[in-house]
Amino acid sequence: QLAAQEAQLRAIKEAAEERDRMYEETARKLVIVENDLGRTEERAESAEIKVKQLEEQLHEVSGSLKSLEINEVQAASRESTYEDTIRDLNQKLKDAQENATSFEEQAGQKQKNNEELEGALEKAKEDYNALNRELDATLTDMSAM
């Protein structure tokens, strides 16, 4: 019976040692898992911060995009207005050029007419002076009689 109890004691010791080894292995694995958990939590926090930063950037980019879209609409409107203005100014320029051409022609005709009238005036002055001289001569002849 003593041999059976010794065998039973050895079996219990071996089982206790096996349990101790399993406990130590489990404790070692627990430390590793806890370390991994700490690193994973740090990475998760870092990733969360990065996500928040990216969300802020996305919000800023979204705002910039909206602003650019508004600016694009305004620029298109201004461009349309400028095109209308350019078209109107080109028409006014064309009209002004036509008027200038017409006025130049009229000025040329008036200049020609003016030259003709000045020529006629000169002729009339010469005729008047000739008549005056002839009248003076006739009066002188009449006085002498």
Side-chain angles (χ1 to χ4, degrees):
Q1 186 176 4
L2 183 59
Q5 284 181 351
E6 284 178 2
Q8 191 178 17
L9 179 62
R10 265 182 272 161
I12 291 173
K13 281 184 181 180
E14 286 175 5
E17 287 174 1
E18 180 64 26
R19 297 266 187 253
D20 284 344
R21 276 194 310 272
M22 288 175 72
Y23 170 78
E24 288 174 3
E25 179 66 23
T26 302
R28 185 181 62 79
K29 286 181 181 179
L30 178 62
V31 168
I32 291 171
V33 168
E34 286 175 343
N35 287 338
D36 286 346
L37 175 64
R39 286 192 300 269
T40 303
E41 286 176 343
E42 288 173 4
R43 285 184 17 226
E45 288 173 5
S46 175
E48 188 175 332
I49 290 170
K50 184 69 174 176
V51 165
K52 286 181 182 179
Q53 289 173 344
L54 290 174
E55 285 175 346
E56 288 174 9
Q57 287 178 352
L58 177 63
H59 180 71
E60 290 173 6
V61 168
S62 176
S64 295
L65 180 61
K66 287 178 185 177
S67 175
L68 288 174
E69 288 172 348
I70 290 169
N71 287 342
E72 179 184 10
V73 168
Q74 291 173 345
S77 174
R78 285 192 307 265
E79 181 180 3
S80 176
T81 302
Y82 293 157
E83 287 173 352
D84 291 344
T85 302
I86 289 170
R87 189 174 29 261
D88 292 345
L89 290 175
N90 280 334
Q91 184 60 45
K92 287 180 181 179
L93 174 62
K94 182 181 173 187
D95 293 345
Q97 288 173 337
E98 289 173 0
N99 286 342
T101 301
S102 174
F103 290 146
E104 286 172 356
E105 289 173 3
Q106 289 177 9
Q109 290 172 354
K110 292 190 186 287
Q111 180 67 28
K112 182 179 177 185
N113 188 22
N114 190 32
E115 288 172 0
E116 289 173 0
L117 289 174
E118 284 178 352
L121 178 63
E122 255 330 289
K123 174 124 177 54
K125 282 181 182 179
E126 288 173 9
D127 289 347
Y128 173 77
N129 286 336
L131 279 175
N132 238 355
R133 284 189 301 269
E134 189 179 323
L135 182 61
D136 284 342
T138 302
L139 284 175
T140 306
D141 284 346
M142 283 176 71
S143 310
M145 283 197 206

